[in-house]
Amino acid sequence: MRLIILGPPGAGKGTQAAKIAESYGIPAISTGDIFRANIKNETELGRQVKDILASGGYVTDEITNAIVRDRLFEDDAERGFLLDGYPRTAAQVDALDAILAEHDHKLEAVLELTVDEDAVVQRLLKRAETEGRDDDTEDVIRERQAIYRRETAPLTEIYAARGLLRRVDGMGTVDEVFGHVASALEGVART
Ligand code: ADP
């Protein structure tokens, strides 16, 4: 199964991605996690993207596409995957299409977690207190929502036009939302 999960920062993509990965037996691949791991380990890539993440901006398509391409060539991704946080721009949609074509694979579904923006900002402020992510200050949170609306929300139209988009109500408890996800994935081929 090859899936994408879309939704604004704070929508709970990472949480649902982990549950989907476990339940469908596919790796959840989060570009945000990959970048944060590289920052933590002080790699060359980490050094390049550190300031970008801290500001809430997007890492360049060139860097991001190369990372996802490498990751999708790893063995565990051969039988399926869930992408969380990628694609985020129209250029990344094209790059992903090209990567999938190299593997002779196609996407089965794109999940969009829909949430109320005010609720999401509150969630992120709370997460800032508990996790201390430095991309979680209020200004950065608002900037990230604006960038999402401008750059990433339009991707839903692209995938809707391909008949792949499945909207999922992202408000509610983790288990309630996962229930909605599971219903949205009913009938999607588990290839
Ligand atoms: P969240 O889950 O809060 O939406 P992520 O963990 O997915 O955030 O991403 C954190 C940061 O990593 C983003 O704000 C951005 O700087 C960078 N990033 C992640 N994925 C991408 C991408 N596909 N393109 C560009 N930048 C990205």
Side-chain angles (χ1 to χ4, degrees):
M1 213 180 209
R2 291 172 189 87
L3 308 171
I4 292 172
I5 187 162
L6 286 174
K13 292 189 301 293
T15 306
Q16 294 301 324
K19 290 182 78 76
I20 295 165
E22 196 194 334
S23 154
Y24 294 86
I26 49 177
I29 299 174
S30 157
T31 43
D33 284 351
I34 294 172
F35 292 138
R36 279 187 291 274
N38 277 275
I39 292 169
K40 191 163 168 249
N41 297 327
E42 300 181 340
T43 66
E44 173 59 23
L45 170 69
R47 200 186 52 72
Q48 283 173 24
V49 304
K50 189 169 195 278
D51 292 347
I52 301 174
L53 262 82
S55 74
Y58 283 175
V59 175
T60 63
D61 289 329
E62 198 188 353
I63 292 178
T64 310
N65 290 334
I67 283 193
V68 172
R69 186 172 180 279
D70 284 352
R71 182 64 187 86
L72 293 184
F73 271 95
E74 284 178 36
D75 287 348
D76 67 333
E78 188 51 34
R79 289 182 50 247
F81 51 78
L82 169 68
L83 288 170
D84 163 14
Y86 182 92
R88 260 180 158 95
T89 64
Q92 291 179 13
V93 170
D94 294 342
L96 177 60
D97 287 344
I99 297 167
L100 288 167
E102 284 184 73
H103 291 256
D104 211 10
H105 286 152
K106 61 181 181 51
L107 288 170
E108 266 96 34
V110 177
L111 297 164
E112 182 196 9
L113 278 188
T114 59
V115 287
D116 173 71
E117 186 166 324
D118 288 336
V120 150
V121 170
Q122 289 314 312
R123 272 190 199 173
L124 288 174
L125 286 170
K126 222 170 128 193
R127 182 171 81 181
E129 280 173 31
T130 51
E131 288 181 21
R133 260 173 62 164
D134 62 355
D135 59 351
D136 272 350
T137 66
E138 186 157 0
D139 283 353
V140 174
I141 288 168
R142 295 202 184 283
E143 173 68 4
R144 295 174 81 224
Q145 297 291 330
I147 296 176
Y148 180 84
R149 247 184 279 116
R150 192 173 68 229
E151 301 280 339
T152 305
L155 304 192
T156 58
E157 303 302 323
I158 298 175
Y159 289 120
R162 297 186 190 177
L164 291 174
L165 189 69
R166 291 162 192 251
R167 289 205 165 86
V168 173
D169 180 1
M171 302 306 289
T173 65
V174 169
D175 288 339
E176 280 164 359
V177 175
F178 185 64
H180 301 151
V181 167
S183 315
L185 290 177
E186 259 168 40
V188 172
R190 284 193 180 217
T191 55

